[in-house]
Amino acid sequence: MKWKQSSLFLVAIIVLSSFAMHKFYVGMFQMKFVPQKKELHITTRIFIDDINLALEKKFRKKTFIGEPKETKEDEVLLQKYIAEKFKVKINNQSKNFVFLSKEIENNVVICYLKVKELSKINSFEVENSILMEIYPEQQNIIQFDNNGEKQSLLLTEETFKGKLK
């Protein structure tokens, strides 16, 4: 039920913020443990204009993620940025993820990642400071599904790390 409430809250915020005078800064990160494959599947949703601004600031190079002028180097910089700003620790061990692909939907870049070789998840920690260096009011919503048990976290500049069990 909490999962549905979080989703409804996000939709309400986005709809209401479209009428506001300033932009709402939010990223969505959905994670699901798939025991049959022994993998954690991660889907990120980040606004295109925000990620391009963050990449330009970080790498001092204009990028064109989601635009016709996008280059392979732009995607490499995106992958580096995500790897630096988004980290997971599973069962008290830092885990690397594999960047599988990305797609563009409206004004959002959706990235697909996975962590391989997981037998089970007893504890889960996440660090997510994506976009927080350019938008102090950035909020990153984490939704985690571990074998049907769903939990959520709201990460901000003050609390960009969280732990779920």
Side-chain angles (χ1 to χ4, degrees):
M1 187 63 150
K2 196 172 193 178
W3 183 273
K4 288 181 183 178
Q5 288 174 335
S6 298
S7 297
L8 289 173
F9 175 74
L10 176 63
V11 170
I13 293 289
I14 290 171
V15 169
L16 292 174
S17 69
S18 66
F19 298 107
M21 293 304 283
H22 68 82
K23 190 172 176 184
F24 184 74
Y25 300 102
V26 66
M28 177 66 83
F29 299 79
Q30 296 172 301
M31 293 165 234
K32 181 175 183 165
F33 177 54
V34 182
Q36 303 85 346
K37 294 185 176 186
K38 297 184 177 186
E39 296 175 343
L40 176 68
H41 294 181
I42 304 167
T43 305
T44 73
R45 287 178 170 76
I46 307 167
F47 288 108
I48 292 170
D49 57 341
D50 295 339
I51 196 67
N52 278 315
L53 183 60
L55 294 175
E56 184 175 346
K57 182 176 180 176
K58 169 86 177 141
F59 299 107
R60 297 187 175 139
K61 179 186 183 305
K62 182 131 178 81
T63 58
F64 300 94
I65 298 295
E67 299 176 24
K69 295 194 280 186
E70 180 180 325
T71 66
K72 188 67 179 159
E73 184 183 359
D74 292 342
E75 187 172 315
V76 168
L77 294 177
L78 172 66
Q79 291 177 30
K80 283 182 182 180
Y81 179 82
I82 292 173
E84 180 182 311
K85 300 285 187 174
F86 180 78
K87 300 179 188 312
V88 294
K89 195 182 244 189
I90 299 170
N91 302 332
N92 298 315
Q93 294 184 334
S94 294
K95 297 290 184 180
N96 294 321
F97 53 80
V98 177
F99 187 98
L100 301 172
S101 65
K102 70 167 180 40
E103 67 178 317
I104 305 303
E105 185 177 283
N106 299 320
N107 61 344
V108 173
V109 61
I110 303 170
C111 300
Y112 300 97
L113 320 166
K114 75 176 172 181
V115 177
K116 301 187 287 186
E117 301 175 18
L118 299 171
S119 56
K120 68 180 186 172
I121 298 179
N122 295 320
S123 68
F124 177 81
E125 295 176 57
V126 63
E127 178 179 320
N128 187 341
S129 60
I130 289 177
L131 301 179
M132 291 179 186
E133 73 280 10
I134 57 171
Y135 301 122
E137 60 274 24
Q138 174 71 24
Q139 297 180 339
N140 291 324
I141 299 170
I142 308 296
Q143 294 182 327
F144 178 57
D145 181 345
N146 184 9
N147 256 348
E149 184 180 326
K150 297 174 182 173
Q151 298 179 29
S152 299
L153 281 174
L154 178 64
L155 301 178
T156 64
E157 185 180 44
E158 294 81 34
T159 56
F160 62 93
K161 295 180 183 181
K163 188 172 186 173
L164 299 168
K165 292 191 178 206

